[in-house]
Amino acid sequence: MSDEDCVLDRLITLAEKPSENVPSLRATLARLHSRVASHDTSIRAKLVEKFCRPSSGYLALLLSLLDGVKDHPSLCSVVGILHECCAPKSAGSDKGGKKSSSNARVVATEQLVQLGGTHAILKLVIHVVKDSSSNQQQSSTPAWPHQFTHDLLWLLAHLAQRDGKFALKCRTMGALKTLHILLKNYVSSSKLLYPLLMMMKYLARNGITSKLLIKDGVAQTLEVTLTSLGLTPHPRLRLCIEVMNHLAKNPIFCGKLARTQVIHILLRLIERCDHQEGKLQIRIISSVLSTLYKMCAYKAGRVVFRSHNGLQIMHSFCTSCPDEKNRDALVGRASEVISVCLENRAPLLAENTMSPAKFPLPVPLTQIYCQDDRSGSSSRDTTPNSDEDKIGEEDCLLAEDIIDESCIEDNNVLPQILLRDLDDLKSYSNFFEEQVGSPRSSRGSSLLDSDDEEDTSSASKSTKSSMLSEYRALNPTETLKHLRILSKIRSGTDPFKVYFSIASKVISVIPFVKVAYPDMVGAESVNVPEPLYTKDRRVCRSKLMQCIEKGLRPEQGMSRVVYDVDSLVNSARRNSYSSERMLSNWDESRLGKENSDVNHLMFESRFESGNLRRATQVGALEYDLILMPDVNSSKHHQWFYFEVSNMKADLPYTFNIVNCEKQNSQFNYGMKPLLFSVFDAINDQIGWVRAGSDICYYRNTYLNQTAGGKVKPYLTTSFTITFPHSRDVCYMAYHYPYPYSRMIMQLWNWAHTIQPSIVFKVQQLCYSLNDNEVPLLTITNPDSVSSPIQDREIVILTARVHPGESNASWVMEGTLQYLLSNEEQADRLRENFVFKVIPMLNPEGVINGCHRCGLTDEDLNRRWSRPDPTLHPVIFNAKGLIEYCCRVLQRIPYFYCDLHGHSRRKNVFFYGCSHAGSWNAADRTVPEDPTEFLLLPHILQQTAPAFALNHCNFRVERARESTARVALWRQLGITRSYTLESSYCGCDQGPYQGYHLGTAHLHEMGRNLCEALGTLFDDGWKLKLVLACSSPQSFANEQPHRVVGGIAGLGGVRTAEEDLTNPSDESDYEEEYHAVNEGH
């Protein structure tokens, strides 16, 4: 037995009764501390490894001594040992040694967090501060040695970095004031200020904690700290500004800082930066710019900023910043500050920013629910940092931190669940005629009245017989007889005439004037790989600088409005425009014809799913475009689809969409806009192509007047298009359009082309708010003795709740094409399942070219908990349909999937639901088999080229409780409840890496989804998943993802973005730790 083992064994013995062996315990701990802190790296590393070994229990023993020992020297030794275990070590001679040391530190820190170390150290800090305060009043001698204070505060900083609930623990223990007092006391300490600022940083990232700190006067403390630090770059200066940056999300804090000299000091830092090299200097300037941007979002900050000549300082910084890639983000942030501080800027629209598409609601929203219930209507079913107003990368965890901790503080109260009366649900029985007389459905008889049960029993044989005879293959007339929009169209009608008839019966808010040519011909993407665009950073910086110059020095340049929907709509209203006429398309007759009276491009967007509000010519070949907001709204600008004509070939036309709202876009990461040429479609059968160059996405100087009290400029999507033909008619779009009429047309096509052996039934689920029909599809095989239709599992698919996510419809189309095909596996699917499909949940939004909402300015994917039958008829009836299946038939759907599109990530991926990953504590106590919801994503990872398992997420967040995925999982018990997200852009992994996703890829994804669903009964896949999750290391070698905690403790598949710190942050922290403690 080695000497260290003997000492450790003695420690275990003495720790059993620490109060009885104080001298021996003190000597033993001191000896261990001296060895852990030894300059001999081999001795130190060997002992630290023993302490940090999870099975040893030594860290738990040391934590227990913090509570059981009152002897000051012993406590100093315990804290010193813990600090040495968690502190970054000096880099060894070899790279592997440094990495091993870093990993050991992380493991030790995470162990302490799991063992309750944060709570124990916070308790000790509070005790030490109280003890020091009382001792200071009685004696000038410090109660605790300086080295102990150093080790204690650094240890707590290490834990704060790894403890996701650090802010909550500080709040509940009353440690906020204590840490604030320590910050005040050690403002001038070169070694203790850094760990205190580190803790403040993690406290400031939490919304609730930041409010308490602001109330406690932290603004004044930070001003004193910043002043004392001076202007010399140092890690302490960086941390101080980062704390301010996080707190500046609070308007009260911004107001307090505006009354200090902080803005003046920050501007001096910008002036004196001299564009020095080094990561530290860049991070400092980045934090300074982010803080200034947030402070200047309010009037008080802007006034002080201008008074200190801020605009000129920022402009000088931008113009003199070196043309290097790592400086581009700084120029972008500086331009954002300039944008919010400009005076006398021209508004984007002189008139009302509300959409010209106005729809009178049958019931005021205030009568349905209180305003607070609508607060989440604009959020997405995505990762927590989906579209937050983030200026710097360091802000990405803020939303998640706030949600997690506020949920715990609110005692895990679930939102109110509204389930319908069983008698009311019986109205959906006609959508489940195949289930009548089913042995399974008889289990629901207890839910019915006794009279109903008797009636059902007496008529069971005849009803079952009639229903089974109906569930056979239907002819086209029988298939489509329930849809009014197709009722008068005869079989054999020319397809173009069919489409014109359908489009003419669609009811829109703004009258349409034509059918778009790509929709008429059913245009899809070209069948060649289309690589992602490589961004030219110099072009983007040049455009950004031009925008800044234009804002600072507005000039009288060209500004001619060439297209304006507002005036066209008003003119149509005055002229009593008739919406009864048959719509058509005459683009082919326009080819090659030049309008001699017009010397500019011509635009049009008054067709289905079209979106362009205004086009202004600002240069000979440059146009500023303004998008339409959603109906009855002044926001949600992203989707665009419009016609362009009267162009000349081989000239670079620049288009600037100037009222974008999202803080970032895939246009910055390789996505190109879409272009369709009528000339090419006629002559070469070419469909939609990815086109454009000089593609940039940046903040402009136009003020977003819908941002509330904050000044929030819009962003610009800029790209250049060189049209291949003169006098062509072209269409441009954000993504491949998929209008409502195409969906109806596809139903018509399928009804006339599928094999007679397939049951394909189209019913009218309901009417939308503006009286458009919502189809419900049933797909299965005819009833048979070998596979009774009543015994088949039910699968429910929905799509397009967000109208701008047209990629969801393309995946749905691929799914339906496969289910209606003659392939053997598709036949097996129909033999095992009854598919209930709602291909378009938000037809009104799709028809009217909306991006996010329908006619009520609400996100319908936040209405599944309590949908209103008047304002949300489609969601109300879709949920009622599923609720009937679950509660009346007592047939829990085997699988539910809601198809979506994603604007921030690449690839295709799932969001699912796991009890272990829920925000609600009660959920986490529910036992579950993770293979139930993990198996399908695992299969898709192996079989679908576009699918990315490492992007999947199975957490249940409180902000997502009213989404379809979570509401149906929680309220109706659907275990396999998913959202399938498809990128607007393309892929960054797998066979399609570096390429856009076209309609063929999206169709393929729908096919892959069906194929994976058909293999869920295969025990081989399940066994492979169980083996993979039980051996995470071997599985990680096979696939590029990591299963957190194995299969037993799975809360979801996490990506590197969700880790508290990434490797680069870890490296920076180690460097700064040594720089601070070595006095550099």
Side-chain angles (χ1 to χ4, degrees), residues 80-318:
I81 294 170
L82 292 174
H83 172 241
E84 290 297 333
C85 289
C86 297
K89 305 301 183 293
S90 299
S93 57
D94 62 310
K95 185 177 180 181
K98 182 177 180 180
K99 184 176 180 180
S100 176
S101 172
S102 176
N103 291 339
R105 182 189 89 80
V106 172
V107 169
T109 309
E110 291 179 347
Q111 273 194 73
L112 285 174
V113 170
Q114 294 172 2
L115 293 169
T118 307
H119 185 277
I121 301 301
L122 278 173
K123 183 178 178 181
L124 181 58
V125 168
I126 294 172
H127 169 71
V128 168
V129 171
K130 289 182 178 178
D131 198 18
S132 299
S133 177
S134 59
N135 184 76
Q136 190 175 8
Q137 297 175 0
Q138 301 173 6
S139 171
S140 59
T141 306
W144 298 88
H146 178 78
Q147 186 61 41
F148 169 77
T149 306
H150 172 276
D151 291 347
L152 183 63
L153 294 181
W154 272 104
L155 174 59
L156 188 55
H158 302 325
L159 296 174
Q161 193 182 23
R162 291 282 161 184
D163 192 342
K165 297 291 184 269
F166 178 73
L168 175 64
K169 292 173 183 178
C170 288
R171 250 185 354 255
T172 54
M173 294 184 65
L176 291 180
K177 284 184 176 292
T178 301
L179 294 177
H180 189 189
I181 290 170
L182 287 170
L183 180 62
K184 292 178 183 178
N185 293 342
Y186 293 108
V187 163
S188 58
S189 173
S190 61
K191 293 186 178 181
L192 296 183
L193 181 59
Y194 186 96
L196 287 166
L197 287 172
M198 174 69 78
M199 288 182 270
M200 283 293 165
K201 174 182 173 180
Y202 289 102
L203 293 175
R205 291 169 73 164
N206 179 274
I208 301 172
T209 306
S210 62
K211 291 179 182 178
L212 296 174
L213 286 172
I214 293 166
K215 187 176 180 181
D216 198 39
V218 75
Q220 290 76 10
T221 306
L222 290 174
E223 181 199 9
V224 172
T225 306
L226 183 64
T227 304
S228 67
L229 289 172
L231 304 178
T232 304
H234 192 276
R236 290 187 292 269
L237 178 62
R238 175 188 66 81
L239 267 181
C240 181
I241 299 172
E242 285 186 2
V243 174
M244 289 183 176
N245 183 31
H246 290 302
L247 291 171
K249 292 180 175 69
N250 188 298
I252 297 176
F253 180 79
C254 291
K256 289 179 180 292
L257 281 195
R259 295 192 289 270
T260 67
Q261 291 298 308
V262 167
I263 291 180
H264 174 62
I265 296 172
L266 296 180
L267 287 173
R268 287 190 63 196
L269 283 169
I270 296 292
E271 284 184 300
R272 290 170 55 92
C273 72
D274 295 328
H275 305 294
Q276 303 172 46
E277 295 295 333
K279 185 186 298 185
L280 177 61
Q281 287 79 1
I282 291 177
R283 292 184 68 178
I284 289 174
I285 297 302
S286 176
S287 296
V288 168
L289 293 170
S290 297
T291 306
L292 285 172
Y293 174 76
K294 291 169 186 173
M295 293 180 65
C296 293
Y298 302 95
K299 184 177 179 180
R302 292 194 297 275
V303 171
V304 176
F305 179 84
R306 295 185 192 119
S307 69
H308 289 289
N309 205 28
L311 286 172
Q312 287 71 22
I313 293 173
M314 286 297 163
H315 180 255
S316 175
F317 173 84
C318 291

Side-chain angles (χ1 to χ4, degrees), residues 75 183 279 354 556 628 657 673 722 794 855 899 1005 1038:
L75 284 175
L183 180 62
K279 185 186 298 185
M354 288 291 293
Q556 295 298 323
M628 288 259 290
I657 301 175
T722 301
I794 297 173
L855 303 182
L899 306 183
M1005 188 63 230
E1038 177 188 349

